[in-house]
Amino acid sequence: MVERAESESRKLLGRLRDTMANQAEGQERLDQITHLTADSMGTEVCSIYLFRDDETLELCATQGLKSESVHQTRMKLGEGLVGRVARMGKIINTADAPSSKGFRYMPETGEEIYSSFLGVPIQRLGEKLGVLVVQSKTAREFSADEVYALEVVAMVLAEMTELGAFVGEGAALRARHTQPVLIRAITGQEGTAEGHVWLHEPRVVVTNLVGDDPDTERRRLTDAVENLRVSVDQLLAVASGDTEQVQVLEAYRMFANSKGWLRRMEENIDRGLSAEAAVEKEQSDVRARMLQATDAYLRERLQDLDDLSNRLLRILTGQGTQTGAELPDNPILVARNIGPGELLEYGRQLRGIVLEEGSVGSHAAIVARALAIPLVINAKRIQNEALNGDHVMVDGDQGIVHLRPDDTVVSAFRDKMAMQAKAQERYASIRDTPADTLCGKTIRLDMNAGLMADLPSLENSGAEGVGLFRTELQFLVRSQMPKRNELAALYARVLDAAKGKRVVFRTLDIGSDKVLPYMKAQDEPNPALGWRAIRVGLDKPGVMRMQLQALLRAANGRPLSIMFPFVAQYEEYTAARAEVDKAVAREKKLGHTLPETLEIGAMLETPSLAFACNKFYEEVEFLSIGGNDLKQFFFAADRENERVRRRYDTLNVSFLSFLEDIVNRCATTGTPLSFCGEDAGRPVEALCLAAIGLRSLSMRPASVGPVKHLLRRCNLDDVRKVIHDARNAGDQSVRPAVMEYLRGLN
Ligand code: PEP
Ligand code: MG
């Protein structure tokens, strides 16, 4: 069977290669391909349909259908058999097309007389480009070998499309990667940036698809696979201990040694493909299976196999990630996903980041925020659309990417950036003035931090101190548990950089969305409500003790503030406090210098703590509301879930009333209170928090200016009245009323 197919598809491929080699124009090339495919496969019809836009396919060349229908016949995705092939990304092979599900008769083509239909998707690495069809009058299903041959032609077409071989007249024949593309995605970090694409992993381009000598190609393939096996073994040898990475590498090793995988690729070579085309054909099949897979585990494994194919392609083509290309001016990083360590290596030289996947709480997003680099996540297709060096504009505020923008977009975007720059100048001019309101209240504005990279912002932003130092970031960006001395040195550097300003160190807040790569992942049904933060610290106190020691040593006679995350009841606070007391006693015994002052606080992130006993409020030395978590539990709406995370407004009267009650409780017991969730950095939200009595807010550094600017223009008594009136009027959220008030300001 394979032998017959070998000669068939090999012959076909040989003729295709000649077509590719000649200097014909785009349309002429397409015509030649339809002609020779119909001829080789013995069918009356061969047609090529390409996407005109995301939703529409256009007949671009045909042998057998009426020539006047070329560039006239169009169909929507999902419409007719061709549209169905495109939508499903699957082959349709039928002996009786007119009575098949979804058949649509196109009179202008004259196709009604053809009974058999075989349509295969033209796609490259999961990106849909069009559909290739053969039809014949005789009612018969096409054999597996014929299907294979047509798939190979489709693959060649896809590669040629990528290489711009069909550029010519007609909208569907426009050069790829030249048109403006707008991608609507999700905000990962606010801010705008203009620059040039830098692909973290540039795609592999396969130019020689046809193999002359199967023996040579087989040898090339087996050598490359051997090379791959060795490199995976080497990676495994150095990865020991890093469990998640080891698991992935184990899966790589299993696939790299899989006989089935190699056999399928060898069969592709026997049918006429070059070694790299054989790998890519297998990769396309894997991607098709991935699209169908509903089981998450299976999808992940197929993803591993896909990654492995990429590695193999890089070995075969010699195209490494190090392509020798220079980082362009104002680089905007484009990647499917990226680890926090890799992102830190790029550092502040990046102007923006666009990720095809990612999530708001991912480690990469955390690092992007620390570096204040605009980030857009979930940017579908960006990897396929973008080429190194492409002009790109990233709107982190709206979660939009403009790739190769046209002049109108460029000028509108630049206007927006200029306005933002003006606003920045305004903020800079009030940097050293306090956030005094018109009614004479002063609001303390601190910043949130987590990496050394954050600390320069302490000076630039005008923040009074660090209200929340998320210590887990140092744990998250490493591949191994940091040592006590390393941590002590790092915390000491943080205190040095703060130059006497207050820094509140929050102890390790892991679990939920923050999973340490080197700690065993807990398989919990609901991690946000699971074993996290102080719960882990108290149950397995080793790491917490080590961290407390590191903090005490870092302070080395200076004032120290420590805050425990996710305290849900009084006893958790007392137990954690007891650990601090023990650590202090130990340090004293060892003769180390103790902090000049030591204040121990807690984060209020669960509604339960708002109702804790008075004793707790009297004992705790300060409280900070973690609004991100508190809000998710108050509304029972997962902060990581795009579907619900924006569903409830922070300015909802129920939530504001709840926060006001906490403020009042703290006022009664004299407990210092601050707010350090993301909402503190949103000017309107910050204003309302100040109006209900909060006098200390901690936010990302870039927010200090905008928040201060607004606070200085407002009278909190007026805003409080607006809030209370809205509540009394039965409004669901006070936002409309507050916005109305703000519009009335001069
Ligand atoms: C919060 O929950 O509001 C908070 C500041 O902590 P994190 O976002 O790190 O959970
Ligand atoms: Mg929290």
Side-chain angles (χ1 to χ4, degrees):
M1 275 264 282
V2 172
E3 239 161 59
R4 202 192 75 82
E6 182 187 336
S7 54
E8 280 298 311
S9 56
R10 183 168 292 285
K11 230 174 28 209
L12 179 53
L13 276 170
R15 292 175 69 186
L16 267 176
R17 186 180 39 194
D18 296 342
T19 307
M20 288 188 287
N22 72 29
Q23 292 301 309
E25 288 299 307
Q27 183 66 50
E28 205 181 329
R29 271 189 172 157
L30 285 176
D31 292 341
Q32 287 170 350
I33 291 173
T34 54
H35 181 82
L36 79 87
T37 306
D39 188 44
S40 297
M41 293 190 61
T43 57
E44 286 96 349
V45 176
C46 173
S47 311
I48 296 169
Y49 298 82
L50 296 176
F51 274 99
R52 193 188 148 77
D53 55 48
D54 283 354
E55 290 293 314
T56 323
L57 286 150
E58 181 173 306
L59 176 64
C60 286
T62 185
Q63 164 74 30
L65 297 185
K66 290 184 183 159
S67 58
E68 54 272 30
S69 57
V70 172
H71 295 305
Q72 300 305 319
T73 293
R74 288 179 191 156
M75 62 220 41
K76 291 275 166 224
L77 191 62
E79 188 188 355
L81 294 184
V82 173
R84 280 167 57 82
V85 171
R87 187 168 66 194
M88 299 184 306
K90 282 213 290 213
I91 293 165
I92 292 184
N93 180 3
T94 169
D96 184 7
S99 39
S100 293
K101 186 176 164 207
F103 177 78
R104 216 202 80 184
Y105 169 49
M106 306 260 187
E108 72 277 16
T109 62
E111 66 178 337
E112 67 279 11
I113 51 174
Y114 301 107
S115 184
S116 330
F117 174 101
L118 171 62
V120 302
I122 304 170
Q123 50 195 1
R124 189 178 187 276
L125 304 182
E127 186 189 7
K128 292 175 174 169
L129 302 168
V131 177
L132 175 65
V133 175
V134 287
Q135 290 170 284
S136 71
K137 286 185 193 156
T138 342
R140 66 179 184 99
E141 264 200 27
F142 291 89
S143 70
D145 295 327
E146 286 171 313
V147 172
Y148 184 92
L150 200 65
E151 276 187 298
V152 168
V153 179
M155 188 174 142
V156 171
L157 277 168
E159 286 298 337
M160 291 172 78
T161 313
E162 175 71 22
L163 296 171
F166 303 126
V167 178
E169 280 176 40
L173 299 186
R174 279 191 305 224
R176 291 176 45 70
H177 305 301
T178 57
Q179 302 303 308
V181 177
L182 183 150
I183 299 177
R184 285 184 201 285
I186 293 172
T187 293
Q189 152 80 4
E190 284 92 356
T192 45
E194 175 178 4
H196 297 99
V197 168
W198 177 254
L199 291 169
H200 182 53
E201 287 211 314
R203 81 189 95 234
V204 179
V205 181
V206 177
T207 43
N208 66 323
L209 292 153
V210 185
D212 283 330
D213 171 21
D215 292 335
T216 314
E217 296 304 317
R218 268 175 172 257
R219 220 172 306 117
R220 288 183 62 226
L221 180 69
T222 38
D223 286 353
V225 169
E226 190 45 41
N227 204 324
L228 179 74
R229 284 176 189 156
V230 172
S231 72
V232 171
D233 284 344
Q234 281 168 349
L235 285 172
L236 257 169
V238 292
S240 57
D242 187 337
T243 45
E244 204 178 317
Q245 197 193 355
V246 168
Q247 272 173 17
V248 171
L249 289 171
E250 293 283 8
Y252 280 6
R253 179 155 69 179
M254 187 185 81
F255 288 127
N257 287 298
S258 148
K259 296 219 164 46
W261 189 51
L262 185 60
R263 194 197 58 239
R264 287 193 298 278
M265 293 189 290
E266 285 178 340
E267 279 176 11
N268 290 336
I269 289 177
D270 291 343
R271 287 165 146 149
L273 295 181
S274 66
E276 41 273 68
V279 177
E280 208 177 73
K281 170 83 176 65
E282 168 64 10
Q283 190 178 22
S284 294
D285 294 346
V286 167
R287 290 210 171 176
R289 274 161 57 206
M290 198 146 61
L291 285 176
Q292 308 297 325
T294 45
D295 178 71
Y297 178 78
L298 180 61
R299 247 199 337 264
E300 255 176 53
R301 293 291 75 83
L302 290 170
Q303 182 72 58
D304 292 340
L305 191 50
D306 189 65
D307 286 345
L308 202 66
S309 303
N310 271 336
R311 281 170 190 252
L312 194 53
L313 278 175
R314 287 188 196 288
I315 295 172
L316 277 165
T317 59
Q319 297 170 32
T321 31
Q322 312 296 335
T323 54
E326 297 246 322
L327 205 64
D329 287 344
N330 302 318
I332 307 268
L333 184 81
V334 172
R336 189 174 75 204
N337 228 332
I338 187 165
E342 288 168 304
L343 196 48
L344 273 173
E345 264 172 43
Y346 282 110
R348 285 186 202 276
Q349 57 182 334
L350 297 177
R351 289 283 163 274
I353 306 164
V354 182
L355 300 182
E356 184 141 345
E357 295 174 0
S359 74
V360 270
S362 69
H363 306 163
I366 291 169
V367 172
R369 261 174 238 143
L371 298 172
I373 299 172
L375 164 70
V376 168
I377 55 172
N378 257 316
K380 299 270 174 288
R381 301 197 342 264
I382 186 75
Q383 288 245 106
N384 281 329
E385 294 285 357
L387 292 184
N388 258 344
D390 274 350
H391 184 201
V392 61
M393 292 178 138
V394 178
D395 187 339
D397 303 332
Q398 308 280 334
I400 290 178
V401 182
H402 301 279
L403 186 64
R404 301 180 290 266
D406 60 27
D407 293 349
T408 357
V409 172
V410 170
S411 71
F413 196 86
R414 286 192 181 148
D415 285 351
K416 181 173 169 166
M417 286 178 70
M419 266 168 60
Q420 286 184 341
K422 266 228 171 73
Q424 287 307 328
E425 276 171 27
R426 246 196 335 262
Y427 305 145
S429 70
I430 54 168
R431 192 182 57 198
D432 300 321
T433 37
D436 290 337
T437 64
L438 291 184
C439 51
K441 303 280 186 320
T442 301
I443 313 297
R444 181 186 168 96
L445 304 183
D446 285 311
M447 65 171 232
N448 296 343
L451 297 170
M452 263 326 276
D454 289 313
L455 269 299
S457 303
L458 197 46
E459 209 138 288
N460 312 334
S461 65
E464 288 185 54
V466 178
L468 166 66
F469 190 90
R470 291 178 160 106
T471 60
E472 61 277 6
L473 296 198
Q474 283 305 327
F475 287 73
L476 286 169
V477 298
R478 285 160 198 251
S479 55
Q480 283 177 5
M481 178 75 82
K483 306 234 170 5
R484 186 190 56 203
N485 289 349
E486 284 172 336
L487 285 183
L490 178 100
Y491 299 151
R493 278 201 288 146
V494 171
L495 289 170
D496 293 345
K499 297 190 187 127
K501 290 181 173 174
R502 180 176 182 248
V503 179
V504 179
F505 289 97
R506 174 176 78 181
T507 60
L508 200 54
D509 182 9
I510 49 163
S512 187
D513 57 317
K514 298 166 194 152
V515 183
L516 297 186
Y518 42 87
M519 262 174 94
K520 193 166 169 282
Q522 302 298 316
D523 191 12
E524 294 184 293
N526 202 335
L529 305 176
W531 198 54
R532 52 177 291 197
I534 194 161
R535 299 171 184 177
V536 181
L538 292 175
D539 293 358
K540 293 244 181 275
V543 179
M544 182 156 101
R545 287 177 186 156
M546 183 265 281
Q547 197 183 18
L548 290 174
Q549 265 182 10
L551 284 166
L552 291 168
R553 289 194 190 168
N556 191 24
R558 291 177 279 193
L560 180 64
S561 306
I562 299 176
M563 175 162 79
F564 290 104
F566 215 65
V567 175
Q569 58 181 13
Y570 174 45
E571 284 74 13
E572 283 173 342
Y573 175 73
T574 49
R577 220 202 137 112
E579 288 294 339
V580 181
D581 293 341
K582 259 196 264 173
V584 169
R586 188 162 179 270
E587 290 302 289
K588 201 165 163 187
K589 209 161 133 201
L590 291 172
H592 291 296
T593 317
L594 295 179
E596 183 188 3
T597 54
L598 179 60
E599 50 169 2
I600 311 294
M603 287 192 75
L604 197 161
E605 304 185 89
T606 62
S608 63
L609 207 60
F611 303 97
C613 56
N614 267 344
K615 209 155 175 277
F616 166 72
Y617 277 82
E618 282 155 9
E619 250 173 57
V620 73
E621 286 170 274
F622 64 92
L623 274 177
S624 190
I625 297 176
N628 307 336
D629 275 313
L630 187 63
K631 190 178 157 193
Q632 82 165 335
F633 298 122
F634 187 80
F635 288 111
D638 188 341
R639 63 192 265 194
E640 286 289 312
N641 181 339
E642 280 306 321
R643 281 214 165 126
V644 295
R645 73 187 192 93
R646 274 189 275 250
R647 191 177 177 97
Y648 305 100
D649 191 352
T650 304
L651 302 187
N652 175 298
V653 288
S654 314
F655 192 50
L656 270 192
S657 304
F658 179 55
L659 294 178
E660 202 170 2
D661 288 348
I662 298 170
V663 171
N664 292 339
R665 272 205 85 173
C666 287
T668 318
T669 48
T671 318
L673 177 68
S674 65
F675 187 107
C676 65
E678 294 301 313
D679 285 312
R682 302 191 171 106
V684 179
E685 280 81 341
L687 174 66
C688 293
L689 293 173
I692 60 166
L694 274 148
R695 293 291 170 266
S696 169
L697 305 172
S698 191
M699 60 201 69
R700 57 177 77 171
S703 297
V704 174
V707 167
K708 191 191 285 186
H709 179 68
L710 184 65
L711 286 172
R712 287 173 57 82
R713 294 168 62 218
C714 292
N715 180 321
L716 296 183
D717 298 331
D718 292 348
V719 181
R720 190 168 44 249
K721 184 167 179 321
V722 170
I723 291 174
H724 288 174
D725 286 351
R727 186 158 61 197
N728 292 338
D731 293 0
Q732 180 166 279
S733 162
V734 305
R735 189 178 299 276
V738 173
M739 292 310 287
E740 186 61 37
Y741 161 82
L742 292 177
R743 274 191 288 273
L745 295 181
N746 50 34

